[in-house]
Amino acid sequence: MDEALVLGITCDCADAQVVSRFWARALGWVEAPPPEGWDDWPTFLRDHEVPEEEWGDGAAIRPAAGDGPTISFLKVPEAKTVKNRVHLDVKVSGGRHLDQELRLSRMCAKEADLVAHGATTLREDVVDGHLDHLVMLDPEGNEFCIG
């Protein structure tokens, strides 16, 4: 194989725009640019004969620095019905080796920001008497953790 493998992650959702904005905020990422050869998304979508009423059915984000995988969000007709088998971890605490008060303040700050933007706290998981991570739900009920 001559070309390098490119990893992309895709999440099914009911509202791609809402969920992509949430995850861009949660991760500090930005909207992904259109594919190489197109100056903007409307031109790309028109060139691929996507009806204008479907333009909001997908979105993609990537790390602000531009390196790393993209996460795409695609509108699907069916609702989420079971627990995620794969989830994202938003690692803000700095690790278990740090002072527990510092870890707690970082996790709680991120939790407050994401709750203000549509997340819900599901539970706090404690290990060895200390908060290890928070189990959260994004605006559409997809599980993720803050640790």
Side-chain angles (χ1 to χ4, degrees):
M1 180 180 235
D2 294 335
E3 294 188 35
L5 175 70
V6 177
L7 173 66
I9 301 164
T10 301
C11 300
D12 292 347
C13 56
D15 190 326
Q17 302 305 308
V18 167
V19 179
S20 70
R21 282 191 300 272
F22 173 83
W23 281 105
R25 180 169 192 92
L27 301 173
W29 287 19
V30 297
E31 179 182 18
E36 191 173 327
W38 284 271
D39 292 330
D40 55 52
W41 281 108
T43 302
F44 173 82
L45 295 169
R46 256 188 238 100
D47 287 352
H48 286 82
E49 300 179 3
V50 176
E52 215 168 312
E53 61 272 12
E54 295 177 13
W55 286 10
D57 291 356
I61 61 174
R62 71 166 191 194
D67 53 347
T70 59
I71 301 177
S72 299
F73 303 90
L74 298 176
K75 179 180 178 179
V76 296
E78 64 276 359
K80 178 182 181 301
T81 57
V82 298
K83 180 185 182 301
N84 299 15
R85 296 291 297 190
V86 174
H87 69 268
L88 299 178
D89 287 340
V90 180
K91 296 182 177 185
V92 296
S93 73
R96 292 181 182 170
H97 66 286
L98 295 179
D99 175 73
Q100 291 304 309
E101 290 300 317
L102 176 60
R103 293 185 74 240
L104 181 62
S105 69
R106 289 175 175 174
M107 285 188 279
C108 290
K110 190 63 165 181
E111 174 190 27
D113 178 56
L114 296 181
V115 165
H117 288 86
T120 304
T121 304
L122 190 60
R123 71 175 186 272
E124 299 179 351
D125 283 357
V126 176
V127 175
D128 296 329
H130 298 286
L131 178 63
D132 184 66
H133 62 276
L134 302 166
V135 179
M136 309 279 296
L137 301 175
D138 77 5
E140 291 197 359
N142 298 300
E143 296 87 1
F144 68 98
C145 294
I146 295 177

